[in-house]
Amino acid sequence: QSKESTPISKGEIVFEEVLQLNISIEGDAAAFAHLLPKEDKSEKVLYFNDEFSLYKNVEANNVEENLGMEEEEGGIRIKMEKGENKVFHDIKNKKLIEEREFMTRKFLINSNVDNSNWKLTENKNEILGYICQEAVKIKDSSEIHAWFTSAIPVSTGPFGFCDLPGMILAVDIDNGQHTIVATSISKDE
């Protein structure tokens, strides 16, 4: 059942972001390659209204995750700390401000919205009950497919992707190497 009849202009969307980890190990350490994770999954949230959006980690993801396999007499523990990366989008002024953590330091990156190169296709998909249309572009030699819905008439989306005629609910970069898909949508009254 489509939700097209109830437009949303303010709320929050939870996304699952998956990054494929293509780690290759050679030499003696190659025997432990099967212990390494194949992908990094995280949960993010996009808070939005018709003027601004903020994309950030869900609060529970700000803790360390321990990955690995314990053995009886010992084990290998792989620690991955998830940094807090945020993207603030000033929709009206077409500005992005990214806060990135790198090696315990925070960096602010200001940029203009890259509103060029989106090509709309005729492909449609349903995500969480919303009919979405596909848009495609090439950026920095990556092929990006975004699915947006005009039923949420806010020109923003996750991870700084924006400037389509509606909310972006899914992104696929380089044929599944990095995916971002909406898992829930909450409307603010």
Side-chain angles (χ1 to χ4, degrees):
Q1 177 177 339
S2 176
K3 297 181 180 179
E4 303 294 311
S5 60
T6 57
I8 298 175
S9 61
K10 182 179 177 186
E12 69 181 63
I13 302 173
V14 176
F15 290 89
E16 180 182 71
E17 193 170 322
V18 180
L19 182 62
Q20 298 301 317
L21 302 175
N22 300 318
I23 302 169
S24 63
I25 299 177
E26 296 176 9
D28 294 339
F32 299 104
H34 69 282
L35 297 175
L36 295 175
K38 303 291 183 227
E39 60 185 25
D40 179 33
K41 282 187 183 181
S42 58
E43 196 174 37
K44 307 279 183 145
V45 64
L46 178 76
Y47 300 101
F48 68 93
N49 61 30
D50 58 358
E51 294 183 23
F52 306 103
S53 72
L54 175 64
Y55 184 68
K56 62 185 286 266
N57 291 352
V58 169
E59 295 304 323
N61 275 349
N62 289 334
V63 297
E64 288 182 5
E65 285 189 9
N66 290 315
L67 304 173
M69 188 171 176
E70 292 288 335
E71 296 177 16
E72 249 182 79
E73 295 293 318
I76 296 173
R77 184 171 298 255
I78 300 166
K79 284 170 86 173
M80 294 179 67
E81 287 190 38
K82 295 198 184 250
E84 173 73 89
N85 295 327
K86 300 175 184 174
V87 180
F88 177 79
H89 178 203
D90 180 343
I91 298 167
K92 292 197 182 236
N93 295 309
K94 296 187 177 266
K95 301 278 184 195
L96 290 173
I97 301 171
E98 295 180 60
E99 179 186 282
R100 292 188 186 173
E101 270 188 46
F102 181 71
M103 299 183 75
T104 71
R105 299 184 72 160
K106 289 187 180 186
F107 297 89
L108 286 179
I109 303 164
N110 292 290
S111 61
N112 293 319
V113 169
D114 177 16
N115 61 359
S116 61
N117 303 328
W118 283 117
K119 294 191 182 1
L120 301 182
T121 73
E122 296 298 318
N123 297 332
K124 304 258 192 250
N125 193 6
E126 187 173 320
I127 300 171
L128 298 175
Y130 291 90
I131 303 300
C132 296
Q133 183 176 354
E134 182 185 41
V136 179
K137 77 173 175 178
I138 305 291
K139 181 178 181 183
D140 302 326
S141 74
S142 290
E143 185 174 325
I144 302 163
H145 294 257
W147 297 89
F148 69 94
T149 180
S150 57
I152 304 176
V154 181
S155 183
T156 194
F159 203 65
F161 293 109
C162 57
D163 213 41
L164 287 167
M167 178 64 69
I168 298 172
L169 296 181
V171 178
D172 182 326
I173 303 168
D174 289 335
N175 201 25
Q177 288 300 306
H178 186 181
T179 58
I180 307 167
V181 180
T183 58
S184 70
I185 299 173
S186 303
K187 177 180 177 178
D188 284 354
E189 300 299 330

